[in-house]
């Protein structure tokens, strides 16, 4: 690596660390002052990081934040014991309590993306897949939870084509699916059973941040262990974790950019 390239990498890391130290957001001038990097250089690097969805830039306050998408890739390396670390602690507790794999998803139309995952203690019957990854919105408990928070007209407009192409036949059509969302809202969680994969089940609850519900927490495992008679029991644990994550994200203000995609 040429000296100039090595210097650019170091400056990029310094800037990421500086922004990560301010979960509430930080402006360009403060970033330049804390990092010791000239303001013009900061702006050029930050612009690239924001374009690549590693940082979020609030269009009103002009303050930068580390995106949840970046944290899902690097874990807690940038923010140490910060928000992402605390989020994983909640997932670890959920996995331990339910003895199933726990995870955290975001709605990225027309799919959901798994951005964090903690394996449960019983690995037999589970196939852990890489994170981040996208999954069908119709065949997942998180997808059902997240769609239930949307206006039916928005579901039809943004997800109707995806439904016709990929939704499981057992859902009974788009109208039936939208009608079923009332029950999801009423009980506070959603269930997927033999939908994403035969022999697999999951339970999810909404993670609300302010007035938005773009995140969901879930547990998943094989149907022979995550039986229908266990659903009410584990659903209570999932909803408790959802409340904890709602409080955490409301305080930190970390957001996943809508442009973040899997690479």
């Amino acid at each position: 690596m040429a000296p100039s390239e090595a210097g650019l990498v170091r400056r990029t890391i310094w800037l990421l660390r500086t922004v990560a130290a301010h979960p509430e957001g930080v402006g360009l001038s403060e970033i330049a002052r804390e990092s010791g990097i000239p303001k013009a250089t900061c702006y050029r690097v930050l612009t690239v990081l924001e374009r690549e969805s590693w940082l979020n830039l609030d269009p009103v306050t002009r303050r930068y934040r580390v995106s949840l998408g970046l944290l899902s890739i690097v874990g807690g390396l940038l923010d140490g014991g910060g928000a992402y670390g605390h989020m994983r602690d909640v997932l670890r507790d959920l996995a331990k309590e339910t003895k199933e794999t726990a995870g955290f998803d975001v709605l990225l139309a027309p799919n959901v993306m798994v951005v964090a995952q903690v394996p449960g203690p019983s690995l037999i019957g589970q196939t852990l897949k890489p994170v981040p990854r996208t999954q069908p919105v119709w065949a997942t408990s998180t997808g059902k939870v997240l769609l239930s928070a949307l206006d039916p007209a928005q579901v039809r407009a943004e997800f109707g084509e995806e439904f016709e192409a990929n939704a499981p036949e057992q859902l009974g059509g788009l109208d039936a699916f939208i009608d079923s969302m009332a029950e999801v809202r009423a009980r506070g969680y959603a269930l997927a059973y033999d939908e994403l994969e035969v022999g697999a089940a999951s339970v999810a609850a909404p993670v609300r941040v302010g007035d938005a519900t773009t995140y969901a927490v879930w547990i998943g495992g094989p149907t022979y262990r995550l039986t229908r008679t266990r659903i009410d029991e584990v659903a209570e644990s999932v909803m408790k974790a959802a409340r904890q994550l709602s409080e955490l994200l409301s305080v930190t203000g970390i957001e996943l950019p809508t442009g973040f995609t899997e690479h």
Side-chain angles (χ1 to χ4, degrees):
M1 180 181 296
S4 60
E5 294 175 339
L8 177 59
V9 170
R10 284 196 297 271
R11 287 193 294 271
T12 301
I13 293 173
W14 291 339
L15 290 177
L16 286 171
R17 288 187 182 278
T18 300
V19 176
H22 296 272
E24 75 285 358
V26 61
L28 175 60
S29 296
E30 190 173 356
I31 294 172
R33 183 172 61 253
E34 291 188 10
S35 66
I37 298 173
K39 191 173 181 179
T41 302
C42 285
Y43 179 76
R44 288 196 298 271
V45 176
L46 292 170
T47 298
V48 173
L49 293 174
E50 191 257 336
R51 186 169 61 240
E52 291 299 316
S53 297
W54 283 36
L55 298 178
N56 289 335
L57 175 62
D58 189 302
V60 177
T61 65
R62 306 304 296 174
R63 297 172 73 86
Y64 292 90
R65 292 174 179 165
V66 172
S67 75
L68 185 57
L70 173 61
L71 293 180
S72 74
I73 298 173
V74 301
L77 294 178
L78 290 175
D79 72 340
Y84 188 79
H86 291 310
M87 184 177 74
R88 291 192 66 84
D89 287 341
V90 173
L91 295 181
R92 289 190 188 97
D93 290 343
L94 179 59
K96 182 178 180 181
E97 184 175 335
T98 62
K99 297 180 173 57
E100 302 294 350
T101 294
F104 183 85
D105 291 10
V106 63
L107 181 63
L108 287 177
N111 299 301
V112 291
M113 175 177 283
V114 182
V115 295
Q117 176 180 274
V118 173
S122 303
L123 293 180
I124 297 177
Q126 296 180 8
T127 301
L128 295 181
K129 298 176 181 178
V131 174
R133 67 178 183 273
T134 55
Q135 299 191 143
V137 69
W138 306 105
T140 55
S141 56
T142 50
K144 295 177 183 179
V145 160
L146 294 169
L147 291 182
S148 73
L150 301 180
D151 183 270
Q154 184 179 354
V155 174
R156 293 180 188 278
E158 297 185 8
F159 299 91
E161 184 176 343
E162 168 68 14
F163 185 95
E164 296 299 331
N166 298 307
E169 292 183 4
Q170 66 197 76
L171 295 180
L174 183 57
D175 290 338
F177 178 86
I178 290 177
D179 290 342
S180 72
M181 293 297 94
E183 182 180 356
V184 172
R185 290 188 293 271
R187 68 188 180 195
Y189 69 88
L191 167 69
Y193 221 81
D194 289 327
E195 294 177 39
L196 184 62
E197 296 179 12
V198 175
S202 66
V203 179
V207 176
R208 298 182 176 89
V209 182
D211 295 329
T213 305
T214 53
Y215 309 117
V217 61
W218 56 271
I219 62 166
T223 53
Y224 71 80
R225 195 168 59 237
L226 192 56
T227 61
R228 291 185 183 275
T229 57
R230 286 191 66 205
I231 295 304
D232 288 340
E233 171 193 343
V234 298
E236 287 297 326
S237 299
V238 176
M239 289 188 288
K240 179 181 70 175
R243 290 191 294 270
Q244 293 172 329
L245 290 169
S246 294
E247 293 174 1
L248 172 64
L249 294 178
S250 295
V251 170
T252 62
I254 289 180
E255 300 176 357
L256 180 70
T258 56
F260 180 76
T261 55
E262 191 173 12
H263 295 289

